[in-house]
Amino acid sequence: MPNSRQNSGTRRRLPASGPGQSNARASIRSERLAAPGPSARPGGGRTVVEFRSVSLRYPSGDKGLDQATFSVERGEFVFLIGSTGSGKSTVMRTLIKELEPTSGTISVAGRDLSEISRAKVPYYRRNIGMVFQDFKLLPNRTVYDNVAYALQVTGHSRREIRAKVPDILRLTGLSLKLHNYPDQLSGGEQQRVSIARAFVNHPPLLLADEPTGNLDPDTSIDIMRLLYRINRTGTTVLVASHDHAMVNRMRRRVLELSGGRIVRDEATGLYVRDESTREFAQRLRNPPQAPESL
Amino acid sequence: MKLGFFLKEAFRAMRRNAAPSFAALAAIAVTMVVVGVFIPIVQATQGSANGVRNQVEVDVYMKTSATRAEENRVRGELLGISGVKRVVFESKAQAFAQESKSDPAAYALLSSNPLPDTFHVIPANPANALAIRSAILGHHGKLLDPAIQNVSNHTSDTKKVLEVTKLVTITAALLAVLLILASVLLVGNTIRLSLYARRREVEVMKLVGATDWFIRWPFVIEGVLVGAIGSLIALIILGVMKVALLDPLAGNWSLLHAPQTIPFLWLVVILIGAGIGVSALGSGLSLRRFLRV
């Protein structure tokens, strides 16, 4: 991460994890975030995601994560950045229990993930929305059925599905594409479907792994705007991205990973909490020449 | 509601993955035709072999002078030999009547009955026939009972029959095992292939939070449907073959030896059961490795 790009915020290098550190960071952050007002932090600061010195070594010997420690509070919008192989996806995959850490503990909403048995993993995953770079839609299903599948899995009745799916598709702007198959949609539209599917259960936590990696800048902004809109409903959103320009313009909290270590954790300047999605999108399209970004 | 959903999913999968589904269906149909032809053939072979084996018996000829009391004594002694299932007495008159039936003209020429009273000793297991015979013959030419004139001498014939029928039985059993193995492998492989094409779909379902069985049921139901339809096609082919080829020939065969084979209805039940079982089990089990996400 070149220094010139960084905002002045509360930039800190984390030398190594240690006790008391998360408290130190939290106090720095709350200082910054005090500005918009006391109601700025929905959920009263309950921790949704907590990594405590998590290390993961792949069977091939590669390091996935190395003593990663961080926490995310409810309602936050957090970017995970870093170059390829820095461990962004590993964080995502451990969060949905696709991978098990070699050491350290991960808790989500206060629950230690290592205590969830294999049989219970599906039930756990229903509380997490997941968006991928390659969309991961079911190719044999229409837009409607792709979204409905997430509800069928959780045992919703047909009536509930019929009520909820059109709602979420309207929110994501797909009302006219209901009966199209994924291969008949553009990349941006497919990503919208996958976001709709991730959010239809209203999960408290939404993970997006390079959601704009395959999309052009304009479409990327639309997708980010959609994620922000979801964030504003109170959902905690964690986005992995390598698009530094976009991340800087978003002005949200940034966690940077390198070689599996957390090397930066900052709440970027001008973290505007009560911004409307329209203002948000406008700012993304025309970045203000704020002194911090120079 | 759940079952309806799973059924709908299975039908959707078959419609949208027509080529792999058809491959699995064809594999089942072909396998079931082969099995359907093979079951009666194995049975006929076993039946004939057993028929021949069951004719193995030891005939004990009484002296013409033997009295009723002596005969009763001999019957008791014969029954006392280990491995004897039962003893059938055939009197001179019965033997004469029996024999004269096959060639009335020749027997009509005879003025008196030359045939002796006979005990047919039937062994519990055909393989024991030779041991029973030597027990009746006794040691050093001393027969079991003085009233016995002679014991039938089919030693070499009996040996041959026993060896040949054993060989036939083992060969047929071996072929059956090989055939079943081949069909299970063929069907299993075809199903795996069609699942492999859809492994991404399974992965996505798991990420959305579907339980293993929620994903598996549609696949199992699809397996049942494919198995049922494949077996049905096989049965139609077999039925046509039976009506067109076998039934006209059966008239000719009965002159030689009509082998007792499985009734067609049972064959139908077995084939459909096996087709559905193999296909559903194959789908369910093959899915296991794709479910580990």
Side-chain angles (χ1 to χ4, degrees), chain B residues 101-289:
Chain B
K101 240 187 253 166
S102 61
D103 194 355
Y107 278 85
L109 292 174
L110 293 171
S111 52
S112 67
N113 181 3
L115 299 171
D117 288 336
T118 310
F119 281 108
H120 299 290
V121 180
I122 292 140
N125 183 347
N128 294 341
L130 292 178
I132 292 169
R133 180 172 182 269
S134 57
I136 300 168
L137 278 174
H139 304 290
H140 316 297
K142 194 168 162 288
L143 289 165
L144 184 70
D145 193 281
I148 294 174
Q149 172 71 47
N150 200 2
V151 179
S152 65
N153 189 6
H154 301 307
T155 312
S156 60
D157 289 356
T158 308
K159 263 187 185 158
K160 264 186 219 154
V161 166
L162 290 178
E163 271 168 21
V164 169
T165 52
K166 203 169 157 189
L167 197 73
V168 167
T169 311
I170 290 175
T171 312
L174 216 68
L175 280 175
V177 167
L178 278 178
L179 187 79
I180 288 168
L181 207 72
S183 23
V184 168
L185 285 179
L186 174 70
V187 172
N189 245 331
T190 318
I191 290 170
R192 273 174 84 111
L193 216 64
S194 85
L195 284 184
Y196 189 74
R198 281 151 66 188
R199 71 193 185 287
R200 257 189 58 103
E201 202 175 323
V202 172
E203 189 195 330
V204 175
M205 291 171 174
K206 288 234 54 170
L207 289 174
V208 176
T211 55
D212 285 3
W213 275 104
F214 192 85
I215 298 171
R216 197 176 266 145
W217 271 121
F219 281 95
V220 171
I221 291 174
E222 190 189 340
V224 167
L225 288 175
V226 165
I229 297 172
S231 316
L232 218 67
I233 291 174
L235 283 172
I236 291 171
I237 295 173
L238 285 174
V240 168
M241 274 165 67
K242 178 178 152 68
V243 171
L245 299 174
L246 214 57
D247 286 349
L249 275 177
N252 300 337
W253 278 2
S254 62
L255 281 182
L256 304 167
H257 175 67
Q260 271 300 307
T261 57
I262 191 167
F264 196 66
L265 190 72
W266 269 109
L267 192 68
V268 167
V269 171
I270 287 178
L271 286 192
I272 289 189
I276 291 174
V278 166
S279 172
L281 219 68
S283 302
L285 289 182
S286 306
L287 199 61
R288 232 177 22 175
R289 46 178 295 225

Side-chain angles (χ1 to χ4, degrees), chain A residues 20 28 33 54 78 83 85 141 171 204 230 238 252 257 263 278:
Chain A
I28 292 167
L33 295 172
V54 175
V78 180
S83 49
R141 286 160 211 267
L171 175 78
I230 286 170
L238 194 56
R252 289 294 179 273
L257 281 151
V263 294
R278 184 193 297 270

